[in-house]
Amino acid sequence: MSLGPRLARLAGWLQEPQKVARFQRLCGVQAPPPREAEAAEAPSARAPRRRDARSRPAKPGDGSGGAPNGVRNGLAAERGPGAARMTGAQRRNSLTGEEGEPARVSNWPLYYLFCLGTELGNELFYILFFPFWIWNLDPLVGRRLVIVWVMVMYLGQCTKDVIRWPRPASPPVVKLEVLYNSEYGLPSTHAMSGTAIPIALVLLTYGRWQYPLLYGLVLIPCWSSLVCLSRIYMGMHSLLDIIAGFLYTILILAVFYPFVDLIDNFNQTHKYAPLIIIGLHLALGIFSFTLDTWSTSRGDTAQILGSGAGIACGSHVTHSMALILDPSPDILPLRTPPITLTVFAKAILRVLIGMGVVLIVRNIMKKITIPLACKIFKIPCDDIRKARQHMEVELPYRYITYGMVGFSTTFLVPYIFLFIGIS
């Protein structure tokens, strides 16, 4: 057998949803028997569940024999122990209205551990993690982490819509999360983010900060494996999706990471950097919206690009006004300052004030951009969920809103810190 058929056979074997279901059972997760499922759903029976409107036949040889993208959540085989308790899906998909089926969980420490792992690839983590680095630890590292994150996530999201590979079918898989269920599965962008961030973090900080390399070498596999395994545990990705995401990230970092310093310096110092940044990120967003029919991937991609553009433009203005100055190379490596009560209190204060400003900016821009885009493009705005499925609304809403969030993170908030004396 030649190499091509062997690889295809291996890919089919790695994509089998039975392997995901087997891992879930090993970790103590199974769908409940029909009577328990009906009892769990009874309180919400008046609110019928809405499924993803986009349906696409599963590709031949995917081993699923089930619904496209794993949209239909059914029941797996019954399990024996009666000590398990019921839990619902992690998140309802607010755009499609989709809800997951209840599940029986017998190992709650693993459940909470993998919930933490999957949160490391969600918006809540990003909106806390990147600003914390920029406001409290090292703005240079924070900015360049964002550059890596934008590159990896954008390529990952676009690749999903080019390959169009379905998520694991349910049944036999139990869907503990449905937030991204309308997107395609390969590669796993959670796995890509969970691999890129710790690797880039170590590459950016080792030699710049004083700490043993062993710490970084322990951080990378722990962080990456937690995120990757959490996606299998949640029933959102097959083994193939995870492996492809991991290897794809290594390839992207090998090609693009040497240019991160150059990109960051250009963003800060070039005269026309803001115009180029905004134009480039907007063009990439328009391209991604033409790849396929609507899914939550479209909005996520515009959100990522908008955040990256806003942070880059904010860093340009901040550098021009000398609000934040990077340490001189001759004082490197940096030493971790002693954690005193004053240092800790200032860090907490910066996070609280900064996040308050960021959330206010996000809510204001959301209230403005969606109705404005609907009015300009003559799209009915009575149903926001349907309106956002139009490119003319989703792209400007996400891009402008999160562009302003990113700009506030690197310019407006540091300016406020300087004004009130906690910078």
Side-chain angles (χ1 to χ4, degrees), residues 58-134:
K59 292 194 174 183
D62 64 0
S64 62
N69 271 3
V71 168
R72 176 178 170 271
N73 290 305
L75 300 176
E78 298 184 15
R79 67 186 302 272
R85 291 182 292 164
M86 299 287 291
T87 183
Q90 270 296 291
R91 273 202 182 93
R92 177 178 176 268
N93 192 319
S94 61
L95 289 180
T96 64
E98 183 186 357
E99 296 179 0
E101 302 291 342
R104 294 180 68 183
V105 175
S106 59
N107 192 327
W108 286 92
L110 273 183
Y111 173 80
Y112 291 117
L113 177 66
F114 286 130
C115 285
L116 172 64
T118 206
E119 283 299 325
L120 293 179
N122 289 337
E123 179 186 354
L124 178 62
F125 168 73
Y126 298 138
I127 208 170
L128 291 172
F129 180 74
F130 295 132
F132 186 84
W133 270 95
I134 292 171

Side-chain angles (χ1 to χ4, degrees), residues 95-408:
L95 289 180
T96 64
E98 183 186 357
E99 296 179 0
E101 302 291 342
R104 294 180 68 183
V105 175
S106 59
N107 192 327
W108 286 92
L110 273 183
Y111 173 80
Y112 291 117
L113 177 66
F114 286 130
C115 285
L116 172 64
T118 206
E119 283 299 325
L120 293 179
N122 289 337
E123 179 186 354
L124 178 62
F125 168 73
Y126 298 138
I127 208 170
L128 291 172
F129 180 74
F130 295 132
F132 186 84
W133 270 95
I134 292 171
W135 299 337
N136 287 319
L137 298 176
D138 193 334
L140 181 144
V141 172
R143 295 192 311 265
R144 296 182 181 183
L145 272 175
V146 170
I147 292 172
V148 171
W149 173 71
V150 170
M151 281 193 295
V152 168
M153 292 295 288
Y154 176 77
L155 291 174
Q157 294 283 25
C158 289
T159 303
K160 278 185 179 182
D161 293 322
V162 170
I163 298 177
R164 303 183 184 184
W165 214 297
R167 291 183 183 270
S170 175
V173 173
V174 180
K175 298 286 185 179
L176 289 179
E177 181 189 281
V178 293
L179 182 62
Y180 303 105
N181 206 34
S182 61
E183 300 178 13
Y184 293 109
L186 188 143
S188 166
T189 46
H190 266 78
M192 294 181 71
S193 171
T195 302
I197 289 179
I199 292 178
L201 188 60
V202 173
L203 291 174
L204 289 168
T205 57
Y206 186 71
R208 180 175 175 83
W209 287 83
Q210 285 187 347
Y211 66 88
L213 180 59
L214 180 62
Y215 291 177
L217 297 180
V218 171
L219 174 70
I220 292 172
C222 290
W223 187 320
S224 181
S225 60
L226 177 59
V227 176
C228 291
L229 291 176
S230 73
R231 303 312 287 161
I232 302 175
Y233 179 89
M234 293 292 173
M236 295 303 291
H237 285 289
S238 66
L239 295 177
L240 181 62
D241 300 341
I242 299 299
I243 294 172
F246 175 82
L247 295 178
Y248 193 23
T249 302
I250 299 300
L251 176 62
I252 294 172
L253 290 177
V255 174
F256 289 105
Y257 182 78
F259 301 100
V260 169
D261 291 3
L262 182 64
I263 295 171
D264 184 49
N265 291 332
F266 172 86
N267 292 342
Q268 286 196 300
T269 60
H270 195 277
K271 182 179 179 180
Y272 299 108
L275 293 177
I276 296 173
I277 292 165
I278 293 172
L280 176 61
H281 285 71
L282 186 59
L284 292 174
I286 294 173
F287 169 76
S288 70
F289 269 75
T290 63
L291 285 176
D292 196 11
T293 56
W294 181 89
S295 77
T296 52
S297 176
R298 303 291 84 73
D300 291 344
T301 305
Q303 182 173 315
I304 291 164
L305 291 170
S307 301
I311 286 175
C313 291
S315 68
H316 178 87
V317 178
T318 300
H319 182 269
S320 301
M321 296 179 63
L323 289 180
I324 299 178
L325 297 176
D326 294 327
S328 175
D330 58 359
I331 67 171
L332 300 179
L334 302 173
R335 295 183 178 181
T336 305
I339 307 299
T340 63
L341 182 60
T342 302
V343 170
F344 181 77
K346 279 190 174 182
I348 296 298
L349 189 60
R350 281 193 289 265
V351 170
L352 293 177
I353 294 175
M355 291 310 303
V357 172
V358 165
L359 292 177
I360 290 172
V361 168
R362 186 182 72 165
N363 290 336
I364 291 175
M365 295 309 300
K366 183 177 179 180
K367 296 290 186 182
I368 294 174
T369 52
I370 294 179
L372 182 61
C374 289
K375 185 175 181 179
I376 292 174
F377 295 103
K378 296 180 173 56
I379 295 172
C381 199
D382 51 338
D383 190 335
I384 298 297
R385 181 187 297 166
K386 289 184 178 180
R388 284 174 55 181
Q389 295 184 15
H390 293 267
M391 182 188 79
E392 296 86 352
V393 175
E394 186 81 1
L395 179 58
Y397 151 59
R398 296 273 192 155
Y399 189 88
I400 295 173
T401 298
Y402 285 90
M404 287 303 300
V405 166
F407 186 81
S408 301

